[in-house]
Amino acid sequence: MPGNVGRPMPRLEDDRLLRGNGMYLDDIHLSGSLHAHVVRSMHANARIAGIDVEGARRAPGVRLVLTGHDLGDLNGPLPLLGPHPSLLAPRTQRPLAVDRVRYVGEAIVMIVAEDRYLAEDAADLVQIDYEPLPEVVEFDDARRGDRFVHDDIADNVAAVVSQVRGDPEGVIRSAPHTLALSLDIERSCGSPLEGRGVLADWDPRRQKLTVFDSTQSPVAIRQGLSRILDVPLDRLEVSAPDVGGGFGTKIMLFYPEEVLVPYAALRLSRPVKWTEDRWEHFISANQERGQHHEAVVAFEDNGRILAVSTDFDHDTGAYVPYGIAVPAVTGTHLPGQYDIEHYRYSGRVLYTNKPPVSPYRGAGRPQGVFVMERLIGAVAKRLGTEPWRVRRANLIPSSAFPYDTGLELHDRSRAIYDSGSYVEGFDRMLSHVDVEAFRERQRAARAEGRHLGLGMATYVEGTGVGPYEGCAATLNSSGRIVLEVSVPSQGQGHATTFAQIAADVIGCAAEQVHVVTAAGGPTAVGHGTFGSRAAVMSGNAVAAAAHALRAKILAAASMLLECSAEDLETRDGNVFVRGAENARVSLADIASGANPIQYPGTDRPTPWVSREPGSDAPVSLSATEYFRSGQWVFGSGAHGVMVEVDPGTGRVTIDQYVVVHDCGRVINPLVVDGQVVGGLIQGIGGALLERLTFADNGQPTTTSFLNFHLPTVDDLPPLVLDHLETPSPWNPLGIKGTGEAGIIPVAAAIAEAIEDALSPFEVPVTSMPLFPAEIRTAIDRTEP
């Protein structure tokens, strides 16, 4: 498909967004809207002895006060996503807590008033009688056996996920070398530009419920709300307006507010709106990361890794809404690009009195990569060699693809790497880094009292999660191609990349293609945006729909040009008769010719294409097609980073960062680079700046950007970005996802670089993130 695909085309949506013309949830104002406020728990673990809301109900401007008792049967457990045999004791949150709260921020009461200020004032009148219970905050608390998040789960274990490939225990016992590491990855959160938000409106005249939701999956929200609220699908529409960042936080199904706000609109027959403030995001939006690993590696004298084994605990918070997805992804992605014959993982999913966990950009992969790469660094140190040599010696060769890992993903599909060139990608990264030149600079800097360090990491990224995605493509009367998809964009550039795909199929400019997200109504044709699946699933659906539409365009044009469709070609928004450049018709004229209505003001009547060829049906210049897949595809990459560490302050400065990534066929290099750089800066935040902390009683102590530090443009180092393309054989476009690629290996690479910089002090790096004070403390421990 020449022309558009592969071209670094500026994003079509940016002009609107950069001029302030985006339409985000909080920009939508419906006449007569009421505003909701949620009263949340101030205790991490407590029984509720009583809730008194009478004062709030009498407060000025209040129109509705809801407790769990008011909801009745609606207040049952919210859906469990991805049931799995590994789930031993799954528990999901109720819309409103009734007799027990299990984390600070859990919803207890919702107040709806004429404006937000009145709702928040009324919240001060709600009286809740708590009976505090011992809190389960850290892993040690969960393991000790005398305090519980759920009274009927005595060991606080929600699930145990485990798999074995080969005989790792036997190999470890007989191996010439083994070593073990204890490794920790702390909690973090998405922190999107726009917090969560829901606006719902029930129209009693049309008997229709309309919901606007800042979500990554409006289609799934619509399906679920129909069942939960008993509203027929044909009377329910859910749309995601512009979404100011998702990062996985907004793929949660369901947050309490996504049920409560539509329910309140139904009750009051007025629009009801709720928007999350930043404090609420820190205490009630889902979070991720939090794992502790005890890992063992067995290896030979030449650095060849024989076996890897890890036992880990995963902090799932107070509930397990997303099943085993995150810890299972950690386990299945941990071996990464390395050909390790013997491998096992076993993870305990533990309840704690913290906000629930669901996927956050990377979704378990950064944890697995951190473990694997720290093991490689330890192997290299034991053998007295460069870590890059150990990595290169263990990479899966290109001849091994498709490479069956022998592991099962959490959706029961097999983890088979479809394609890749790991050695080539790694060597490209090495060429950009130039290890020998760096080592010379490092030696010279140390002579001056400066400490430089080099770190690397590789990864794989399972993407393209199925089962299907669709696209409805239409040629409208103005000659524009309209693509309707069900994957909302949170900044990924869907309006541009999908337009490029369709434009090359149909033969027009990408600017002639308009992409819209289905409003969760009857025309919705897919699932949503998550798991780096949009380009793989929707991109291929777009191509299929565009091919089907092109066939209809050619059929209509053949009647207008009085020739066979086989004699036609499309180019530059026109259909030509081959060999006769003057015999052509534009897409706009074809659309007009297929429409029996002649609009006033036209210079000449357009011949009417009245029938489909060989049929009595009217011409339809639209097509809906689907792409289905039950098999993930796997992107990959190699990162290298050079840092300087000041031993006196512990400050880490990133001097340069190198990324070589492979997402299969690249649709738009600018968009791919944007995704990689966006993930990279988030990864830098996760490695050096961001950590959610909790007091011993479960009170969150990071509840604003004053103490949870996000990276800024000043934290973005000089970059080298390099594309490697090994198209996937498992979809027609050869695409692999790249939405999470940038973030996955960052903490691991920076950890190795810090440890390398501080090698004179022999400071081990076994946890992330790593703050300057912690580096300074570690140095103090090693100094005489």
Side-chain angles (χ1 to χ4, degrees), residues 213-443:
D213 191 350
S214 186
T215 178
Q216 295 173 229
S217 186
V219 177
I221 292 290
R222 175 175 176 258
Q223 296 281 345
L225 277 181
S226 175
R227 295 193 300 270
I228 293 170
L229 299 179
D230 195 25
V231 176
L233 276 172
D234 58 299
R235 295 182 181 177
L236 175 58
E237 183 175 293
V238 178
S239 63
D242 289 326
V243 177
F247 311 126
T249 304
K250 296 178 183 177
I251 192 55
M252 169 63 190
L253 307 166
F254 284 73
Y255 282 108
E257 298 86 359
E258 290 174 313
V259 174
L260 295 170
V261 172
Y263 175 75
L266 285 167
R267 284 275 302 265
L268 297 169
S269 294
R270 285 181 63 179
V272 178
K273 186 177 189 178
W274 170 81
T275 55
E276 176 186 70
D277 63 30
R278 192 57 60 181
W279 174 75
E280 286 181 295
H281 181 78
F282 277 111
I283 68 169
S284 64
N286 288 5
Q287 301 167 359
E288 213 234 88
R289 302 292 189 253
Q291 290 182 2
H292 171 80
H293 285 253
E294 295 289 340
V296 180
V297 60
F299 53 100
E300 295 179 327
D301 292 341
N302 60 3
R304 177 66 182 166
I305 295 174
L306 302 174
V308 170
S309 177
T310 183
D311 291 279
F312 68 94
D313 287 334
H314 170 79
D315 180 354
T316 193
Y319 302 98
V320 61
Y322 238 86
I324 64 166
V326 174
V329 167
T330 295
T332 53
H333 281 68
L334 190 149
Q337 296 188 16
Y338 306 113
D339 188 10
I340 302 170
E341 184 178 354
H342 305 278
Y343 169 65
R344 70 170 286 276
Y345 73 87
S346 181
R348 289 191 304 176
V349 181
L350 295 176
Y351 287 117
T352 61
N353 291 123
K354 297 175 186 174
V357 162
S358 63
Y360 160 51
R361 195 176 197 174
R365 298 172 183 88
Q367 298 95 311
V369 171
F370 183 76
V371 173
M372 188 68 241
E373 299 296 337
R374 289 284 66 216
L375 289 174
I376 285 179
V379 168
K381 185 176 182 180
R382 174 75 64 85
L383 296 176
T385 189
E386 287 271 10
W388 71 264
R389 296 186 186 277
V390 177
R391 290 189 175 92
R392 199 177 188 285
N394 287 281
L395 290 171
I396 298 167
S398 296
S399 59
F401 293 97
Y403 179 85
D404 190 342
T405 68
L407 302 173
E408 184 181 89
L409 298 160
H410 61 278
D411 65 355
R412 313 293 182 87
S413 63
R414 188 86 160 185
I416 302 174
Y417 300 167
D418 49 318
S419 66
S421 187
Y422 298 163
V423 174
E424 181 185 358
F426 190 74
D427 284 349
R428 280 202 199 182
M429 183 271 294
L430 287 177
S431 69
H432 292 303
V433 168
D434 193 346
V435 177
E436 290 186 9
F438 174 82
R439 292 302 181 205
E440 286 294 328
R441 293 198 306 274
Q442 186 182 48
R443 284 190 286 269

Side-chain angles (χ1 to χ4, degrees), residues 83-107:
H84 194 277
S86 297
L87 284 162
L88 306 176
R91 299 290 183 273
T92 60
Q93 187 171 346
R94 296 173 184 272
L96 293 172
V98 175
D99 54 6
R100 177 79 172 269
V101 288
R102 295 181 171 87
Y103 66 94
V104 173
E106 185 163 5

